[in-house]
Structure formats: C-alpha cells, structure tokens
Amino acid sequence: MAGQNGQATSGVRAGHELNEAALEAYLVANVAGFVAPLEIKQFKHGQSNPTYLIKDGNKKQYVLRKKPPGALLSSTAHAVEREYRIIKALGDSTNVPVPKVYTLCSDKAVIGTPFYVMEFLKGRIFEDVRMPSIPYEERRKCWFSAMETLAKLHRVDFKAIGLGNYGKPSGFYERQIRSLAKVSAAQAAAVDEETGNAVGPIPRLDELFAWFTKNQVPDQATIVHGDFKIDNLVYHPTEPRVIGILDWELSTIGHPLSDLSNLLQPFYVPAKSNLVMRGFKNSTEPLPIPPSDELMQAYCNTVGSPYPIDRWLFAVAFSFFRLAVITQGIAARVARKQASSAEAKTYAAMFKPVAALGLEIVDEGDLKPSKL
C-alpha cells in the first residue's frame, strides 16, 4: 500500500479497470518525459471521480482523474474537463496553490471516459479535521492556512484569467437550488437492482426551499471551489501550509459563502453524532482546532469583507442541503453499481441525517440581518 497521510492507494477496484496498453501509448505521446512501462494504483480516498496514482518507467508519479464508468445520472456532474480548465487557469495565472496539469483527453476510445493527468503532490492530506496526528499549535497554523488559501481563491479576478464564462456572475444560490432539486429528484428515483427499492427523496424539501427564498444572503460572485474542505487540501510534508487544492469538479462562478460554510461545517455538526462526519457543536471538551469565529474573522480580514457575516446561517443550512444531495448521489451510485469508493455505502446512508441538520436551522425560524 502506497502513500499514507490521506494518500493511501490499493489495487484497482473491480469495475474501475483501465485499458493499460491504450493509456500507456497515450501518455507516452502526450505527456512530455513520460516513459513506459506504466504502473497503476487507485486512491482509496474520495467518493466521486475515480482517481488513480500512476507511475512511469522512471517511477515519476502522476495523478489521473476520470469520469465514473457507465451511464451517468447527471450530465453536469463529474466534469473532469472543467476541473482541468480551472486548475490550468489558476496554475498559469495566480498564486492559488494547485497541482500542475499535463494533459486532458476527451477521446473516450482511450480508457472509456474523458480524463486528465496532473502532478502528484507529495504532502499531507488530513482526512480528520481535528488533525490529531500533529500538535495543537501546528494544527492551528494549518487551519489558518486553509482560511488564507480560501480567501486567496476568492480574491482572484476570474475574468482576468480567462474564466469569465466559467459560470454566471449572479444568482448562484437560486440556480444551485433549482439544479440540485432536479438532480435530487433523479437520484431519489434510482432503483437498487438487487432489492428493487428506490433511493428515496430528501425529507421536507418544500419547507427547506421556502425558507431559502425568505432568508437568502445578498448576492456575490467569485470563483468557488464547490467542495472546499480540509481533506481536499494537500499540506506541505513538514510545514503547516497548503500546497495544493484538489477535487475541482464542482467549481464554478458563485457565492463565496458556499465555500466558507462548507469548510466550517464541522462546527455545526453535533459532537455526539452517528454520522461519519466529525462535529464540534455542543462539545463538552476543548476544541481541537481554532474556534469558528476566529477562523471566520481571519477570512473576512483577508478578503476585506465585514464580520459578522450577514445571514451566515443561510449559507450553513444550504451547505447541509447540498451535502445531502451529494450523499444521496452516492446512494444512487451504490444502487446503480457505479460507486467509486470502498466506503461508499457508509456515505450513502448519510443523506437523510445530513438533511436533518439543515432543517434544524430552518426550524429555528427566519434570520435577521446582522448588525454591522
């Protein structure tokens, strides 16, 4: 087994095999310096796009990301082409830390789906937001580095780096709610081939949508990563700083609070919870990481926005709705035998409890604008 620190690999899982001969020929022809023979392993971590660690004949390591095999429920999900485009734009024109990308292949004839190849960043990925393997002071610096990295991303002039048409510059939350509602309906209808049971809907969606309409935050537009969280960051092997942001498949032009609320979600998950997510809400023990208000203030100071953040809990409730749709999607892929993670069934069971966390905020009533 290779590459710990959140970068563990295994043999290629059943259903995710690649045409090694065709892939090797493509890489030799399209990646400068790549030499045969090719060696392939699959990363264990990550739920959506199958991701592989590949080595060439010189033992140089690369990462390959592809769409899942088979027919997909959503035409916009698993968009490796968009991932490639944004990583390349940020890498070429900004100081936002991203891996170097080498090639994008849209030809399905090579390995069955589009894919791209990027550099393998040797570093640390913390799958546990508490980062228990390192001392508190280093943990603190790692978390503040995450906030600084997110603020750096949100300060990018997306039009200036060629991403003016990467997404619409207004109405992000309305579009997301409409889009996710459609995706969720398709996922709910997915039927398990073995049991004959449908995945089923997210509870109380109409109530959730009505509350979103009444309590929405003022519109903004920046690049958004779409799934910005600690385990999508690569840290330097020995220093408490982010050297790369991974997993850009949900990136677009949108509201920056969607990223910030995603990153700070553990503060709104109960400390005593049956979910696989780590939570700090109502914890009776000292926090293992800096408190959320300190982290939010650091972010606001860097991007130059007011603190406290107006209608912040809207963004938190939306983040739970979106995570419910994402985990419902894993349930649908499990049902259709398309899941790409060894832990997929665990995540598939999360979508109703996650939705309940958003509904707790809804049940507290309407939000009042923050007094600045």
Side-chain angles (χ1 to χ4, degrees):
M1 190 176 294
Q4 299 303 315
N5 291 319
Q7 296 178 319
T9 60
S10 63
V12 176
R13 294 191 286 277
H16 293 270
E17 298 87 354
L18 306 178
N19 183 331
E20 294 194 26
L23 179 59
E24 181 179 278
Y26 175 87
L27 295 174
V28 168
N30 291 278
V31 176
F34 194 97
V35 296
L38 169 67
E39 181 185 333
I40 306 174
K41 292 187 180 296
Q42 190 169 7
F43 284 102
K44 286 189 162 187
H45 188 55
Q47 307 305 325
S48 186
N49 287 332
T51 306
Y52 303 81
L53 177 66
I54 58 179
K55 293 182 188 177
D56 74 356
N58 291 326
K59 301 300 181 188
K60 182 171 180 180
Q61 295 178 309
Y62 302 82
V63 173
L64 181 149
R65 273 172 71 81
K66 68 182 286 291
K67 295 191 180 189
L72 300 176
L73 287 170
S74 167
S75 60
T76 55
H78 316 289
V80 295
E81 300 91 342
R82 282 175 64 83
E83 283 194 54
Y84 176 86
R85 181 183 172 193
I86 193 168
I87 296 171
K88 182 164 175 52
L90 290 169
D92 288 350
S93 305
T94 78
N95 62 351
V96 175
V98 291
K100 180 180 178 180
V101 287
Y102 295 104
T103 185
L104 170 68
C105 178
S106 301
D107 183 358
K108 294 181 183 178
V110 180
I111 60 170
T113 69
F115 67 92
Y116 70 94
V117 176
M118 62 182 171
E119 74 173 312
F120 172 72
L121 290 174
K122 192 171 176 59
R124 296 175 291 172
I125 296 176
F126 297 104
E127 295 177 38
D128 185 337
V129 295
R130 301 170 305 169
M131 304 178 180
S133 61
I134 58 175
Y136 178 78
E137 194 48 47
E138 187 181 357
R139 222 178 292 163
R140 182 179 173 82
K141 289 176 182 174
C142 281
W143 264 90
F144 278 106
S145 179
M147 306 312 293
E148 178 189 351
T149 301
L150 182 60
K152 196 180 287 187
L153 174 66
H154 290 164
R155 287 175 64 93
V156 169
D157 182 341
F158 56 88
K159 292 178 183 175
I161 65 168
L163 294 176
N165 65 348
Y166 196 69
K168 294 181 181 176
S170 62
F172 170 77
Y173 275 119
E174 292 99 327
R175 281 197 316 281
Q176 283 278 297
I177 290 165
R178 283 197 304 271
S179 171
L180 289 170
K182 287 179 186 174
V183 170
S184 181
Q187 292 172 169
V191 174
D192 189 302
E193 298 168 8
E194 293 177 6
T195 66
N197 296 330
V199 167
I202 292 171
R204 296 173 59 194
L205 268 185
D206 289 345
E207 289 177 62
L208 194 60
F209 293 158
W211 187 89
F212 284 158
T213 300
K214 288 181 69 177
N215 293 280
Q216 193 171 141
V217 290
D219 206 11
Q220 284 181 260
T222 65
I223 294 173
V224 292
H225 176 272
D227 195 19
F228 198 96
K229 53 188 180 138
I230 291 297
D231 62 359
N232 277 333
L233 304 177
V234 183
Y235 284 85
H236 186 278
T238 59
E239 298 172 18
R241 62 182 174 88
V242 176
I243 60 170
I245 310 169
L246 306 178
D247 200 359
W248 290 86
E249 72 162 290
L250 298 175
S251 60
T252 189
I253 305 304
H255 203 297
L257 292 188
S258 63
D259 278 343
L260 185 62
S261 57
N262 200 66
L263 178 60
L264 296 179
Q265 204 170 53
F267 290 97
Y268 302 90
V269 174
K272 293 182 179 178
S273 166
N274 293 326
L275 296 172
V276 292
M277 303 161 64
R278 297 289 181 188
F280 306 127
K281 185 179 178 182
N282 300 327
S283 175
T284 55
E285 299 174 3
L287 286 177
I289 62 173
S292 59
D293 57 343
E294 282 187 34
L295 294 168
M296 290 170 73
Q297 285 183 59
Y299 168 87
C300 289
N301 289 342
T302 306
V303 295
S305 63
Y307 178 84
I309 296 169
D310 188 26
R311 302 186 198 200
W312 164 246
L313 286 177
F314 168 89
V316 176
F318 176 83
S319 75
F320 284 125
F321 163 61
R322 186 180 59 181
L323 182 59
V325 176
I326 290 169
T327 48
Q328 183 194 38
I330 297 172
R333 290 199 297 278
V334 167
R336 293 164 61 106
K337 305 294 181 281
Q338 292 178 326
S340 67
S341 168
E343 297 86 21
K345 287 186 178 179
T346 303
Y347 287 92
M350 283 174 54
F351 79 90
K352 290 181 181 179
V354 166
L357 295 176
L359 287 163
E360 282 181 17
I361 296 171
V362 171
D363 290 340
E364 289 173 7
D366 290 338
L367 303 176
K368 296 176 181 176
S370 298
K371 293 177 181 178
L372 302 176

